[in-house]
Each structure stands twice: as C-alpha cells, then as structure tokens.
Amino acid sequence: DVKVTQSSRYLVKRTGEKVFLECVQDMDHENMFWYRQDPGLGLRLIYFSYDVKMKEKGDIPEGYSVSREKKERFSLILESASTNQTSMYLCAIRKQTSGRAPDEQFFGPGTRLTVL
Amino acid sequence: QKEVEQNSGPLSVPEGAIASLNCTYSDRGSQSFFWYRQYSGKSPELIMFIYSNGDKEDGRFTAQLNKASQYVSLLIRDSQPSDSATYLCAVKSYGTASKLTFGTGTRLQVTL
C-alpha cells in the first residue's frame, strides 16, 4: 500500500527562521503536492511537482519554495518563517496505477507548524 | 479563479438517518469529482469519486453528479457516529495536470 511520510507531526519555529518540511513516498509516483489547511479556508495548493527537478506554483506560493532532487522526496521550504505561516501542512501524491481513481490524491499525516 | 463551494455546517443528523452533503463548482470544464473524509487531527482520505452524470453507489455512500447544474452531492445512508467528520469536495478541471481544487468542507455530526 502507498506510504507517504512527513518529517514531523508538530513543529515550533521562530519568526525569521528557515524551515524545511520533508515529504517522502515509498513508490515511484511522479506527482507530489504541498497544501496548507486553515480553518475556513480549506486546503490550498502551495506548489506541486510532476517529476524530479520539475515544479509549478500553486495558488499561494508566496513565501515558499520547493525542492525535488530525488523522485521520492519533495521538500517545502519557508525561507523566512512568519506568523501567518502557522498552519497544517499536508503533502500528497497522485496515485497513478494503484489508485481507485486516476487522479486520486493520497495524503501524508500532516505537519502542524507553529511560528512564534 | 475556479471555485468549489460547500456549506461549512455543522450538519447535524440523528443516527440512522440519511446525511446529504452538497457541493457546487464554477468551472464547466471540470471532469472529475471527489469526496474526501477528514477526521479531526487527521489527513483527508478518499471515500468516493464520480466522473459521469448520475448516481454512483458504494456501500452506504452515494455520490450524485449533475454537470448541467454544476452540482455534486454525497449521501450517507444509515448514518453512524463514526461518520462524524468533515467532508471535503474536490474537483479536477480539464488539463490541470492532476491538480485538485478543494472546497472548505462540511462538518457532519451524527447524534445518538
């Protein structure tokens, strides 16, 4: 079965720090996504990647960057964390051959980031 | 801006009743529709998907799609307390590289 892991469940950082959130999948899925989820705003796409070194901006990329050097790992980077980046961050992969639906996205457990 | 709208709730139904969750979308080019369930503190999990107009049933769940009205719904029959969660509607538009647009979710409470 598909396994998506995220580096931390809970993270507390200070304003101005550089923050790395890691997402690792255990199969050869090409498409990976980073979302943030906030009450009343739902899931919003930050960045996604459709292959190694390939990335595209989502709906709210400002203040974030990403890195995908290997197929199984997709990192979200907060260059200089701010309090308005306090949120739940969810990584997802598109299940290509093993999913019930061709565009099904499968989510990792999430990282709750607090920026003080 | 492609939009997916859901009533935030909470929608409260008694145990054993039918819960009806609704979603509207703005992009007529939308082609795939998904319902995710999210328990508090957990990540979303897919429970239903539908591509064609009409109904699709899976156990106690039925997804209904009406593309002319740009409307998709989820019915949960014989609602159980374990169905209490937030239900997210997600839509994929044509040619958007597998990107999904999510609604803000409807919180369902099934009462004893």
Side-chain angles (χ1 to χ4, degrees):
Chain A
D1 205 10
V2 177
K3 195 170 183 182
V4 178
T5 57
Q6 294 184 230
S7 47
S8 308
R9 287 303 310 273
Y10 300 93
L11 205 55
V12 180
K13 295 292 182 180
R14 295 208 175 272
T15 301
E17 280 192 76
K18 192 168 186 176
V19 181
F20 292 87
L21 302 182
E22 299 265 290
C23 176
V24 178
Q25 53 149 322
D26 66 341
M27 293 186 75
D28 212 24
H29 301 286
E30 292 175 348
N31 294 12
M32 298 184 75
F33 305 81
W34 274 108
Y35 294 89
R36 63 178 284 177
Q37 186 173 32
D38 302 287
L41 297 176
L43 276 164
R44 293 180 292 167
L45 181 65
I46 304 170
Y47 266 99
F48 72 102
S49 169
Y50 45 92
D51 208 341
V52 175
K53 296 190 187 293
M54 308 296 277
K55 61 187 179 185
E56 271 197 39
K57 293 180 180 179
D59 299 318
I60 52 162
E62 298 78 18
Y64 303 94
S65 63
V66 290
S67 172
R68 193 162 180 202
E69 298 296 318
K70 292 184 179 181
K71 200 163 194 175
E72 68 269 19
R73 189 179 298 267
F74 189 35
S75 302
L76 180 69
I77 303 157
L78 287 66
E79 297 289 342
S80 177
S82 63
T83 55
N84 63 11
Q85 292 178 311
T86 292
S87 187
M88 169 68 87
Y89 289 88
L90 288 158
C91 174
I93 58 98
R94 175 187 166 226
K95 292 172 72 173
Q96 288 166 228
T97 55
S98 57
R100 292 177 291 157
D103 296 301
E104 175 184 356
Q105 289 189 16
F106 183 86
F107 287 85
T111 295
R112 183 162 293 283
L113 172 67
T114 302
V115 183
L116 301 176
Chain B
Q1 178 80 5
K2 295 165 186 162
E3 293 183 351
V4 178
E5 304 276 350
Q6 294 181 258
N7 189 317
S8 61
L11 173 67
S12 185
V13 300
E15 184 178 5
I18 296 174
S20 177
L21 303 159
N22 304 316
C23 173
T24 59
Y25 58 94
S26 63
D27 182 13
R28 285 199 172 271
S30 299
Q31 55 182 179
S32 311
F33 306 86
F34 304 84
W35 282 100
Y36 283 81
R37 178 178 61 200
Q38 186 175 25
Y39 292 114
S40 180
K42 301 292 186 182
S43 56
E45 57 175 331
L46 182 70
I47 54 170
M48 288 290 286
F49 62 93
I50 188 166
Y51 299 138
S52 305
N53 273 331
D55 294 1
K56 179 182 178 183
E57 190 174 315
D58 184 0
R60 294 187 298 113
F61 299 101
T62 299
Q64 299 175 318
L65 175 61
N66 183 327
K67 288 188 177 180
S69 300
Q70 295 175 242
Y71 179 94
V72 57
S73 64
L74 178 71
L75 301 179
I76 307 175
R77 287 183 299 282
D78 188 24
S79 295
Q80 301 297 309
S82 59
D83 295 325
S84 297
T86 296
Y87 290 80
L88 304 173
C89 174
V91 173
K92 180 189 177 303
S93 294
Y94 178 76
T96 55
S98 299
K99 287 192 293 183
L100 300 181
T101 301
F102 285 83
T104 54
T106 299
R107 189 155 65 93
L108 173 67
Q109 292 177 338
V110 180
T111 57
L112 296 171

